[in-house]
Amino acid sequence: MPPRHSLPEALLATLSTTRGRSDRLTHTEHLPARPARYSPWPDSIRPEIVASALALGVERPWAHQAEAMKLAKTGHTVVIATGTASGKSLGYLAPVLSDLLDGTEARNGRGATALYLAPTKALAADQRRRAAELAPPRVRAALYDGDTPPEEREWVRQYASYVLTNPDMLHRGILPAHPRWASFLKTLRYVVVDECHSYRGVFGSHVAQVLRRLRRICARYGSSPTFMLASATTADPAATARRLTGLPAEAVTEDASPRGPMVFGLWEPPLTENVGEHGAPVRRTATAEAAHLLTDLVEQQTRTVVFVRSRRSAELVALQTQDQLGRPLADRVAAYRGGYLADERRALERDLQTGRLLGLASTSALELGVDISGLDAVLMAGYPGTRASLWQQAGRAGREAQGALAILIARDDPLDTYLVHHPEALFATPVEATVLDPDNPHVLAPHLCAAAAELPLTDADLELFGPSSGPLLPILEQRGLLRRRTDGSWYWTRRERAVDAVDLRGSGGNPVQIVESPTGRLLGTVDASAAHTTVHTGAVHLHRGRSYLVRELDLDSSVALVEPADPPYTTSARDITSISVLSTDTTVDWGEGRLCFGSVEVVNQVVGYLRKRISTGEIMGETKLDLPPRTLRTRAVWWSVTEDQLLDADIPLDQLPGAAHAAEHASIGLLPLFATCDRWDIGGVSVPLHPDTRLPTVFVYDGHPGGAGFAERGFQRAQQWLTATRDAIASCECERGCPSCVQSPKCGNGNDPLDKAAAVRLLEVLLAGAPAGAAAETGAAAETGPGPADPSGPKQSEPEQPGPEQYGPGAPADPQGPADQEGPIAEGS
């Protein structure tokens, strides 16, 4: 067996040179080891905590842990943004538990309390175990989430000093019932926000307002807790913490933990004999390739985790690997995902740590903070969406300072393909800033209602909720949601709970329940915004590896009735979209062309669906549907070119629809490289002649009411974004366009028309007019972000009318020419 430090190189060499794989490794990056730097324990940390840490093998904290402890004990809002396995938990637990120990000396044993927030229940449970290892039993730590039995909840409210929960439970269960939490809130000393980089987009904007409501309620009870945040490495974590909490923050970013050497490979699966839409070449799937690589790694006794994008993919990778291995090695491979019972997850984690399991196929559930160690390799079946997540996942290997191997396996997708051929985009580029906008009126308005229901709103509260809150209050009064009393306070007027109108993780509208009609069993839900395209009548719906056919979509009742079925086809919705410009915030001249950012209204209607044979992708037929149009008011970035530019690019009018369509698809695919989003969070429209701009125009918009900050980030980094888009199309080895460059898995027009070569020429003539110095300016924006990084959010002369997506008669199809659309939908798991 090779020495431990050379193991990654040997593994990668074996994987890339056997089984005809010599052409699949596109790049190898060698990351050096890093020694540890230690600091003494701060005097403010209780000796009981130091003794417990020593018993766990921690003699001294690393330098960044000690720095975070000192900042927190002096009352600073602090965010620890260091790498995976860098001990962020100890950095916040030591000061928190020290103060809670001080509080146990009070007469009631609860002179100080702390609140811990995690994005998942599994992570909260893991953190309770860590707190129990460090603190004596008199520090009473307790979980408070949807699984907590009613009889335990009263005990938690009355006696627990360290409550571990999630933002959803804080929003729905704690803040509306704050009088019952009075004794806890009066002595609240700390609020810990773990994995805060996961609070981005609309979800992050909601969480930011929940934290403002918490600060307001705490002030009512006389407390002002210190906030401690833990994050993966992100650009400007202090700005992220400030946007989340509304408080100035100190960032601890210099990682002093040891790291072993890492070998990082970029891997592109081979082309297959299969063809896709319009005869496009198709590559082997990333999950199939991951199963083959995992098979080889397990055969070499290499402890490996494979990160995949969906629950179904986790099961498939595990099953395919088990089939290829055979007994007894097959018993040492398993899947790990959400939906498992807590005991099942803990057993899998233990088996992985002890070495009984050699291979684990996991969703991102294993990415967030769960303590695993001793891994040799990590495979990522597809780019996880952000560089922050990429390094979180890769960091799961080598957690004991041994050498580690990480491999990113590209999906057949423009972004993945671009990354494995442009390694500098991963290894020479800072991680992204977290994009969120607490001032989004569609987010802010319902939280103002929730705050008024908790305590009447006063003018003094408006500074806390941001500059957009003042203009929103009269609008909410006009809608009959709030009423102003003679004392100037705003009151909630309805009998129902205000918080029930806010779904922190949703995108507007009641979720559609998926019900098995023969049994009445609830299979799951889908966001209202995705229902028309995913669970329309006749759609094939997959759930836990089983196929169902949607018999009826009842929009009035928000129910989709399904029956078990095994059709030989998949379904793909077809829709039409029109987009109109409501207001233009910013316009930049790019030579004769133009780049704009502003508010738009998108009207989308699903008009039918295609049935595609599973084995070949052959279209078996089309069925018409009669669904109502949906209207979305959101934010968009768009660019236009002139007729003279089309002549310069040698694009005749008959090629223009295909050129704009292809450029739109590819730009949507590449935007996640520059904004913390997924392509399913954004949509696009390309129009040969748009009635508002009177020019050929391509729009990319946020798929959430009021916007989520993604289009704004695209506007800020437009030259880099569109240059990468052009390069991705031009470098693809296909002839006419394929899923790796311009075809989209969610195109409403069946990927027709598409003109790959004309798209390259169109983008080149647009980029030729980009203003000098734009690249440097947009690069700076990515670091500090004049838009989303600004805690006051994007400026608007008047806030948009808040509320969920509106359903109306819609606008007719654009008479100026065919519009392509790629609408945002939630990818199923």
Side-chain angles (χ1 to χ4, degrees), residues 117-394:
L117 300 174
T120 65
K121 289 188 287 187
L123 181 55
D126 188 71
Q127 285 297 309
R128 182 178 66 167
R129 178 182 58 80
R130 295 191 189 191
E133 291 173 343
L134 282 171
R138 65 179 186 273
V139 173
R140 298 185 289 264
L143 292 172
Y144 191 84
D145 56 35
D147 296 334
T148 305
E151 60 273 15
E152 289 184 21
R153 295 189 180 191
E154 185 60 31
W155 183 92
V156 174
R157 285 190 288 266
Q158 294 297 325
Y159 301 108
S161 51
Y162 189 36
V163 174
L164 301 99
T165 185
N166 51 65
D168 311 76
M169 198 65 176
L170 175 60
H171 161 65
R172 290 183 178 275
I174 296 177
L175 292 178
H178 63 85
R180 304 180 69 187
W181 287 84
S183 63
F184 179 86
L185 294 169
K186 283 178 182 178
T187 56
L188 188 60
R189 193 76 57 84
Y190 288 99
V191 176
V192 177
V193 184
D194 205 357
E195 304 291 353
C196 68
H197 62 280
S198 64
Y199 301 127
R200 59 180 185 261
V202 171
F203 178 40
S205 302
H206 277 299
V207 172
Q209 291 299 345
V210 171
L211 294 180
R212 284 158 175 76
R213 285 165 48 205
L214 172 64
R215 288 175 52 205
R216 177 172 175 261
I217 294 296
C218 285
R220 162 68 175 77
Y221 290 102
S223 63
S224 179
T226 296
F227 281 78
M228 296 194 73
L229 300 92
S231 170
T233 305
T234 63
D236 202 351
T240 297
R242 186 173 68 246
R243 289 195 298 276
L244 271 174
T245 64
L247 295 166
E250 298 282 344
V252 176
T253 58
E254 194 167 339
D255 196 334
S257 63
R259 184 185 68 191
M262 174 176 283
V263 176
F264 206 127
L266 304 182
W267 192 280
E268 185 172 43
L271 292 170
T272 67
E273 296 179 354
N274 299 327
V275 294
E277 285 187 299
H278 312 297
V282 176
R283 293 190 181 276
R284 177 185 289 172
T285 66
T287 51
E289 191 78 352
H292 281 282
L293 294 178
L294 180 58
T295 299
D296 288 359
L297 289 167
V298 170
E299 287 177 341
Q300 297 181 59
Q301 302 291 303
T302 304
R303 294 191 202 177
T304 307
V305 165
V306 181
F307 283 104
V308 296
R309 301 272 295 188
S310 70
R311 296 180 179 184
R312 186 184 183 199
S313 294
E315 302 284 0
L316 286 175
V317 169
L319 286 172
Q320 290 173 8
T321 303
Q322 290 166 349
D323 289 343
Q324 292 164 21
L325 285 170
R327 298 289 184 269
L329 279 177
D331 295 330
R332 303 184 70 180
V333 174
Y336 181 104
R337 59 171 179 78
Y340 286 174
L341 298 176
D343 290 345
E344 295 174 316
R345 289 196 304 269
R346 294 290 174 265
L348 289 169
E349 292 162 17
R350 285 194 301 270
D351 288 345
L352 190 63
Q353 288 173 335
T354 61
R356 195 200 74 77
L357 274 181
L358 286 173
L360 195 66
S362 172
T363 61
S364 59
L366 204 60
E367 176 188 326
L368 294 177
V370 178
D371 186 20
I372 56 174
S373 57
L375 296 181
D376 300 307
V378 165
L379 305 177
M380 289 163 277
Y383 180 59
T386 65
R387 287 182 291 274
S389 289
L390 180 88
W391 292 112
Q392 279 284 98
Q393 294 182 0

Side-chain angles (χ1 to χ4, degrees), residues 445 448-449 457 459 462 467-484 490 799-802:
L448 290 175
C449 292
L457 278 169
D459 291 340
L462 300 186
S468 296
S469 55
L472 276 175
L473 292 175
I475 296 175
L476 295 173
E477 184 179 32
Q478 291 169 11
R479 295 179 59 188
L481 298 172
L482 297 182
R483 183 170 66 246
R484 194 166 199 181
W490 300 85
E800 296 177 53
Q801 181 77 10

Side-chain angles (χ1 to χ4, degrees), residues 2 15 73 88 105 157 216 270 276-277 280 316 540 603 750 792:
L15 292 174
K73 291 291 286 184
K88 292 187 283 287
E105 297 165 3
R157 285 190 288 266
R216 177 172 175 261
E277 285 187 299
L316 286 175
V540 175
V603 179
S792 65

